Amino acid sequence: MTAREWIDRFAAELGADPPSDEEFDAMLDLAAVAAHDSERVAAPAACWIGGASGRSLTELQGIAERIAPSEDGG
């Protein structure tokens, strides 16, 4: 089973709409920032907190990038 098939089945069981392809990609981008700028376990937690906040994926991505450590250490 692919990840997309699993997500679609999970959403169906919950009676929810699965994410669109664009939303899925944006969610993966958010998870990548969290995982690469912290520890890997930050990725699912960031997605869960973001979903619970009700904010858009675009806004969540901006926040994640803003709090990420800068390349110059500052």
Side-chain angles (χ1 to χ4, degrees):
M1 178 181 306
T2 67
R4 190 61 205 212
E5 290 167 338
W6 192 94
I7 294 293
D8 290 347
R9 287 184 182 185
F10 186 69
E13 286 291 320
L14 293 173
D17 293 328
S20 67
D21 289 341
E22 294 79 19
E23 291 167 327
F24 193 72
D25 289 344
M27 191 173 20
L28 292 177
D29 289 344
L30 172 61
V33 171
H36 294 287
D37 290 327
S38 179
E39 297 176 40
R40 288 179 21 185
V41 296
C47 290
W48 184 85
I49 293 166
S53 77
R55 295 182 185 207
S56 73
L57 284 165
T58 301
E59 186 176 4
L60 296 172
Q61 182 72 20
I63 293 167
E65 290 174 357
R66 187 170 64 244
I67 66 168
S70 66
E71 296 279 326
D72 62 9

